[in-house]
């Protein structure tokens, strides 16, 4: 039997319906308020954001790479400037047949196989309308050949911009450095969209790298109205770029190029310093690379040639090369002797060497009685062995540091090397060994653990010449006042007199006397042993090139009132008097008699096979031919030819 039936009245039904309707209405009102609030938030608070997004969909903003600031010499002549750059890009979204377009561009632009492969790789990674570089720095003829055929080449976009240019080429490579496209790692580090802009280059080495912020400038921008799919409709406006600041150096552009050319095919460096203010007039390192080629994008073959060269054209020898100074260090030892109170007229007899216990340290000859003046002029090892042992390594090391050895200087060049000025503390820390008297003897003549760079040797020469602790500089707007060296004028005059005798008297560099009326050059030759040769032989012509002695020379001029100081190092040049001193002589001659110096250089270059650019081009052509030539051993010999050879034909 079923239970009682509940009867719902009309009033109860009406109340229940009204309550449900109210709850539903409240819910709808709440949702409406939320939607209205959200719409208000988007329309008011987020208005600027979405306006920008809409504008970015409508307008495509393309950054224009800024023109780099010029680098000029002390007289305003350009060392690094900008030139018009004709380039060809590809727009991936507009290409219909990539291989067909690449084939035609290869014929029109004479592209190398590695360039074509690089474009293929870039096209695979490219997106939409981001341009892919095909070729840069084109001559007008090749650029025009593409422009006139542009209607037949969908996706090809010729453009004009600016590219870095180095008028002196390889002569300034290690001094200025070069620019190149930003790497993926560099972009990830800063996430700057300018790094992705076609044609943008930043400093990769040398001053181009260390002065990047000063030289870069600010980019321009171009606004283009586009469709929803990104196709251009019309140009809107263009904001011009702001070029980087011009940087003036202490370098003398003509002297810099002359020094690089005068080094010829040797491996070495030359540094010239102004004794008035420490300004570096020239800092050349050879062999070198062409920074224009690096900026344009060097090919694998050219890179291989530079990498395989045993003369190390990628190393800046003026600040990164370290060499035993050899006898060029003897003026520093002489300064230490005079500071220690040694009588400059005291005589040491040279019988061809110096005996220390059961070991004999040889001299370059039998010089007989030697005082300080004659010992510098004749480069007598025996005198400096005896006197150096007497005053000890601490005084010698202190004099070397005071003259600028073993120091790093505030120059806008990366990767300077300090070198080594050894003493007892250094040896114990480095090798956990005690300093010996033999170490003192070796150091006193510029051998042993002592290592210096060509720049440091030039600083030493400038400080001896000026009597002041000159600080070398490259930026013309950053003068540094050099305080007094702390050495008496009489002592410095004695050292300079000995160096005067080296060149203008009965010294070791008389063949390099300046042929300029009224100007005398003082100097000191040096020959630094690279490695010990069995049997006591020196590293001359009888040993492979890399084992030959280095040739060094330091100098200043004029002797009576020094204005210029210089150092030249010729790697494996065998002697300072034969290899380095003639180079220094011609470099200083350029400063006093330019026509005579250029005439001498022209005669030398004629014998070398042409000027620097000609010889570098010939070297690259020979390397290319050797690498691309088929291997005779891999070429099958025809049967008929083999039979003829066997028959003796």
């Amino acid at each position: 039997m079923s239970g009682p039936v509940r009867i719902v009245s009309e009033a109860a039904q009406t109340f229940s319906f009204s309550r449900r309707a109210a709850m539903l209405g409240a819910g709808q009102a709440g949702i409406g308020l939320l939607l209205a609030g959200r719409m208000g938030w988007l329309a008011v608070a987020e208005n600027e954001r979405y306006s920008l997004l809409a504008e970015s969909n409508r307008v495509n903003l393309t950054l224009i790479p800024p023109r780099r600031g010029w680098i000029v010499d002390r007289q305003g002549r350009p060392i690094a400037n900008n030139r018009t750059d004709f380039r060809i890009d590809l727009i991936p979204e507009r290409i219909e047949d990539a291989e067909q377009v690449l084939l035609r561009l290869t014929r029109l632009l004479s592209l190398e196989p590695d360039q074509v492969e690089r474009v293929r790789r870039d096209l695979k990674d490219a997106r939409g309308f981001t341009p892919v570089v095909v070729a840069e720095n084109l001559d007008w003829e090749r650029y025009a050949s593409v422009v006139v055929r542009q209607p037949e080449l969908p996706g090809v976009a010729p453009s004009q911009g600016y590219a870095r240019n180095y008028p002196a080429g390889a002569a300034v490579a290690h001094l200025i450095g070069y620019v190149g496209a930003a790497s993926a790692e560099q972009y990830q580090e800063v996430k700057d969209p300018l790094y992705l802009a076609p044609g943008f280059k930043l400093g990769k080495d040398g001053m181009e790298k260390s002065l990047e912020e000063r030289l870069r400038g600010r980019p321009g921008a171009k606004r283009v109205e586009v469709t929803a799919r990104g196709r251009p409709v019309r140009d809107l406006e263009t904001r011009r770029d702001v070029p980087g600041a011009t940087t003036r150096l202490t370098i003398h552009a003509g002297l810099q190029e002359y020094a690089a050319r005068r080094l010829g095919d040797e491996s070495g460096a030359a540094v010239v310093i102004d004794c008035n203010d420490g300004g570096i007039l020239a800092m050349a390192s050879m062999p070198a690379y062409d920074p224009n080629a690096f900026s344009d994008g060097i090919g694998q073959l050219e890179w291989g040639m530079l990498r395989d060269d045993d003369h190390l054209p990628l190393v800046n020898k003026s600040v990164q090369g370290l060499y035993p100074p050899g006898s060029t260090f003897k003026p520093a030892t002489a300064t230490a002797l005079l500071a220690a109170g040694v009588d400059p007229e005291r005589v040491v007899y040279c019988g061809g060497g110096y005996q220390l216990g059961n070991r004999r340290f040889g001299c370059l000859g039998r010089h007989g009685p030697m005082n300080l003046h004659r010992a510098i002029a004749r480069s007598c090892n025996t005198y400096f062995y005896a006197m150096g042992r007497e005053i000890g390594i601490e005084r010698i090391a202190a004099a070397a540091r005071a003259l600028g050895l073993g120091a790093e200087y505030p120059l806008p060049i990366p990767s300077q090397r300090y070198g080594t000025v050894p003493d007892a503390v250094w040896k114990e820390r480095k090798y956990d060994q005690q300093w010996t008297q033999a170490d003192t003897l070796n150091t006193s003549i510029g051998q042993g653990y002592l290592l210096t760079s060509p720049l440091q040797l030039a600083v030493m020469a400038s400080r001896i010449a000026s009597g002041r602790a000159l600080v070398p500089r490259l930026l013309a707007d950053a003068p540094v006042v050099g305080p007094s060296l702390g050495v008496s004028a009489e002592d410095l005059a004695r050292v300079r007199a000995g160096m005067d005798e080296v060149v203008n008297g009965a010294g070791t560099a008389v063949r390099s006397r300046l042929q300029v009326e009224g100007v005398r050059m003082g100097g000191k030759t040096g020959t630094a042993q690279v490695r010990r040769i069995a049997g006591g032989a020196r590293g001359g012509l009888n040993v492979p090139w890399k084992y030959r002695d280095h040739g060094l020379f330091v100098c200043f001029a004029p002797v009576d009132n020094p204005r210029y100081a210089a150092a030249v190092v010729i790697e494996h040049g065998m002697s300072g008097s034969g290899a380095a001193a003639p180079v220094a002589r011609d470099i200083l001659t350029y400063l006093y008699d330019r026509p005579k110096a250029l005439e001498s250089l022209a005669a030398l270059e004629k014998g070398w096979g042409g000027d620097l650019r000609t010889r570098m081009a010939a070297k690259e052509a020979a390397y290319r031919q050797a690498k691309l030539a088929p291997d005779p051993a891999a070429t099958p010999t025809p049967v008929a030819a083999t039979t003829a050879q066997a028959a003796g034909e």
Side-chain angles (χ1 to χ4, degrees):
M1 184 174 180
S2 60
V5 178
R6 183 180 178 184
I7 300 174
V8 180
S9 66
E10 183 178 351
Q13 290 179 347
T14 302
F15 176 76
S16 176
F17 177 79
S18 298
R19 185 178 58 183
R20 291 175 182 175
M23 292 178 62
L24 181 60
Q28 289 175 336
I31 293 173
L33 287 174
L34 285 175
L35 290 174
R38 179 60 177 166
M39 290 174 65
W41 173 263
L42 294 176
V44 179
E46 296 286 293
N47 178 272
E48 183 178 358
R49 176 191 171 194
Y50 286 102
S51 295
L52 290 175
L53 288 174
E55 182 68 9
S56 65
N57 286 333
R58 185 182 71 88
V59 177
N60 184 12
L61 183 68
T62 302
L63 290 177
I64 301 174
R67 288 162 287 175
R68 292 182 72 81
W70 285 25
I71 300 176
V72 300
D73 81 340
R74 57 175 47 215
Q75 297 173 338
R77 289 175 294 186
I79 297 177
N81 56 12
N82 303 311
R83 56 179 170 79
T84 303
D85 173 26
F86 297 111
R87 53 185 291 129
I88 302 297
D89 297 331
L90 286 176
I91 310 300
E93 186 71 18
R94 299 177 183 170
I95 297 177
E96 297 176 359
D97 187 340
E99 286 301 320
Q100 184 63 29
V101 170
L102 270 179
L103 181 62
R104 296 198 63 183
L105 288 178
T106 300
R107 290 198 300 263
L108 292 172
L109 302 177
S110 302
L111 299 178
E112 299 289 341
D114 56 342
Q115 291 178 287
V116 177
E117 287 303 315
R118 191 263 308 162
V119 174
R120 286 196 179 101
R121 290 195 304 269
D122 292 347
L123 282 173
K124 289 180 181 178
D125 299 332
R127 295 291 182 270
F129 289 86
T130 302
V132 170
V133 178
V134 176
E136 299 178 279
N137 302 308
L138 296 170
D139 54 65
W140 172 250
E141 287 74 15
R142 287 191 294 170
Y143 176 76
S145 69
V146 175
V147 171
V148 298
R149 294 174 175 84
Q150 191 175 0
E152 309 165 14
L153 298 169
V156 174
S159 61
Q160 297 183 32
Y162 294 93
R164 204 57 162 166
N165 178 54
Y166 306 94
V172 299
H174 292 298
L175 173 68
I176 302 300
Y178 62 94
V179 298
S183 65
E185 293 77 12
Q186 289 173 317
Y187 172 74
Q188 290 298 327
E189 184 178 348
V190 298
K191 296 294 181 65
D192 188 341
L194 178 61
Y195 282 35
L196 301 178
F200 173 71
K201 303 288 178 66
L202 74 164
K204 292 287 190 175
D205 194 20
M207 298 179 69
E208 291 279 23
K209 180 179 181 180
S210 59
L211 299 177
E212 173 65 24
E213 294 303 318
R214 178 190 295 204
L215 296 171
R216 179 181 296 183
R218 295 198 302 273
K222 181 179 181 181
R223 297 174 72 243
V224 179
E225 186 176 3
V226 296
T227 65
R229 297 189 62 184
R231 295 188 180 278
V233 175
R234 61 190 176 96
D235 293 339
L236 296 178
E237 62 178 327
T238 299
R239 185 189 70 208
R240 293 182 61 82
D241 64 300
V242 178
T246 297
T247 300
R248 190 164 66 94
L249 306 183
T250 61
I251 292 292
H252 185 303
L255 181 67
Q256 173 73 24
E257 185 171 3
Y258 183 88
R261 291 171 60 189
R262 181 57 185 83
L263 286 168
D265 295 326
E266 299 285 1
S267 177
V271 181
V272 184
I273 294 179
D274 189 330
C275 293
N276 287 342
D277 58 11
I280 297 176
L281 301 176
M283 190 162 66
S285 174
M286 297 301 288
Y289 55 87
D290 185 354
N292 293 299
F294 269 69
S295 300
D296 296 345
I298 190 170
Q300 293 182 356
L301 200 65
E302 189 175 356
W303 171 254
M305 179 185 71
L306 295 171
R307 183 193 57 214
D308 297 341
D309 194 333
D310 61 356
H311 284 40
L312 304 179
L314 297 173
V315 175
N316 184 356
K317 300 176 181 68
S318 58
V319 294
Q320 295 174 342
L322 295 178
Y323 313 91
S327 294
T328 61
F329 184 72
K330 288 174 181 174
T333 305
T335 303
L337 296 176
L338 293 171
V342 172
D343 182 358
E345 297 302 326
R346 181 176 169 182
V347 173
V348 172
Y349 184 82
C350 174
Y354 183 84
Q355 194 72 30
L356 179 66
N358 60 357
R359 182 178 173 186
R360 183 171 176 80
F361 290 77
C363 191
L364 301 177
R366 295 176 177 270
H367 298 110
M370 289 280 110
N371 62 9
L372 180 70
H373 180 88
R374 291 195 297 272
I376 295 175
R378 304 287 182 84
S379 199
C380 178
N381 287 352
T382 303
Y383 177 89
F384 288 99
Y385 287 146
M387 293 294 96
R389 181 186 180 189
E390 184 171 306
I391 67 170
I393 186 59
E394 298 305 327
R395 286 193 173 98
I396 296 174
R401 295 188 184 104
L403 290 173
L405 305 185
E408 183 178 28
Y409 298 106
L411 298 174
I413 295 179
S415 305
Q416 286 185 61
R417 299 181 70 186
Y418 297 101
T420 302
V421 176
D423 55 20
V425 174
W426 173 87
K427 186 178 181 183
E428 187 170 1
R429 183 176 66 248
K430 179 75 173 179
Y431 297 106
D432 195 23
Q433 296 176 2
Q434 295 295 312
W435 188 265
T436 67
Q437 294 287 353
D439 294 330
T440 301
L441 266 59
N442 282 327
T443 304
S444 67
I445 64 164
Q447 289 283 171
Y449 300 111
L450 188 63
L451 289 174
T452 60
S453 70
L455 172 63
Q456 292 173 351
L457 290 176
V459 172
M460 181 188 75
S462 72
R463 293 187 176 185
I464 291 174
S466 67
R468 292 185 292 133
L470 295 175
V471 178
R473 62 191 182 95
L474 279 168
L475 299 179
D477 58 355
V480 178
V481 178
S484 172
L485 193 58
V487 181
S488 71
E490 293 78 8
D491 288 347
L492 285 174
R494 288 189 177 96
V495 175
R496 288 196 292 262
M499 297 175 73
D500 180 23
E501 185 80 9
V502 168
V503 180
N504 303 296
T508 56
V510 293
R511 291 178 296 175
S512 295
R513 186 176 300 156
L514 276 185
Q515 301 300 313
V516 178
E517 185 67 28
V519 181
R520 290 159 65 94
M521 175 180 71
K524 185 69 192 79
T525 58
T527 303
Q529 192 171 7
V530 174
R531 63 176 285 173
R532 190 181 299 275
I533 307 294
R538 295 302 297 257
L541 289 171
N542 57 325
V543 299
W545 178 81
K546 64 180 180 179
Y547 298 142
R548 296 175 185 173
D549 296 340
H550 298 313
L552 307 94
F553 188 70
V554 297
C555 60
F556 57 85
V559 168
D560 52 353
N561 185 23
R563 172 65 193 280
Y564 305 110
V568 175
V569 176
I570 304 297
E571 289 187 333
H572 314 295
M574 297 185 294
S575 78
S577 60
V583 175
R585 174 201 63 205
D586 290 349
I587 289 174
L588 291 187
T589 299
Y590 180 91
L591 290 168
Y592 291 103
D593 191 339
R594 188 176 306 177
K596 178 179 288 188
L598 290 173
E599 181 182 356
S600 173
L601 178 61
L604 290 170
E605 288 186 330
K606 184 178 181 181
W608 294 338
D611 62 16
L612 181 58
R613 285 186 174 86
T614 302
R615 298 198 310 276
M616 289 182 66
K619 184 177 181 180
E620 181 182 349
Y623 183 88
R624 183 181 297 274
Q625 183 177 5
K627 285 293 182 181
L628 298 181
D631 185 0
T635 304
T637 305
V639 176
T642 305
T643 305
Q645 291 171 3
E649 296 181 8

